[in-house]
Amino acid sequence: MLTLDLTNTPRWHDLAPGVRIQLRPLTTALMVATRNDPAVEAVPEDSSDEERAVAFAKALARRAVLTWEGIGDADGNPTDPSPEAIDALLDVWPIFEAFQLTYVSKGLLLEQEKNVSASSPTGPSAGATDTAKPARKRAKTARRT
């Protein structure tokens, strides 16, 4: 069941011990704006998926981050979010991964769910039998020939 959160209130996300950020809800408007972000559109077409993911995550974070705790400058002084600071934060691999897992993937998970359907017991997959051979049997057969 899809649960709708009609409050649309920002939420805190823990990204590392002592590091948390408050983010806007991941809405359609936010995703569309991020897809049309100049930094995302400037990524060359021949870029890898990873390069595109980093550009998208940074653009999304620049729009979504409201405030944070546990993040400071080079001298250890607490700092407020800025576009440069947000980009620098996401350059830290464990933080990038946590941001992707706790924020971005939740929206994409729902996107994935709508593209997958369960096999229908009365549809074309009903009564279907496996035609693939187990890997070991195939390997033995391949060695004999």
Side-chain angles (χ1 to χ4, degrees):
M1 172 189 299
L2 175 64
T3 304
L4 297 176
D5 180 2
L6 301 178
T7 63
N8 247 358
T9 57
R11 291 211 176 15
W12 285 96
H13 297 266
D14 295 320
L15 300 183
V19 175
R20 66 186 203 141
I21 58 177
Q22 187 181 45
L23 298 165
R24 287 181 167 75
L26 188 58
T27 62
T28 300
L30 191 60
M31 290 295 281
V32 169
T34 302
R35 286 182 182 162
N36 294 317
D37 186 279
V40 173
E41 290 182 338
V43 175
E45 286 187 31
D46 61 342
S47 296
S48 68
D49 289 343
E50 291 80 12
E51 291 168 319
R52 290 180 187 282
V54 170
F56 187 85
K58 287 181 176 182
L60 180 61
R62 286 191 296 268
R63 285 180 164 73
V65 173
L66 297 172
T67 190
W68 57 32
E69 294 175 356
I71 300 169
D73 61 18
D75 298 323
N77 301 314
T79 185
D80 292 327
S82 68
E84 297 79 20
I86 290 169
D87 286 355
L89 179 67
L90 288 184
D91 281 337
V92 178
W93 176 251
I95 299 294
F96 173 81
E97 282 291 300
F99 178 77
Q100 292 287 79
L101 287 172
T102 63
Y103 186 65
V104 179
S105 68
K106 292 194 180 197
L108 298 179
L109 226 111
L110 185 58
E111 181 72 20
Q112 255 184 344
E113 286 178 10
K114 76 176 187 182
N115 290 325
V116 178
S117 56
S119 57
S120 171
T122 58
S125 60
T129 57
D130 292 336
T131 58
K133 295 178 184 177
R136 288 185 184 146
K137 287 183 181 177
R138 233 180 318 130
K140 289 178 183 176
T141 305
R143 281 188 238 140
R144 289 182 190 157
T145 57

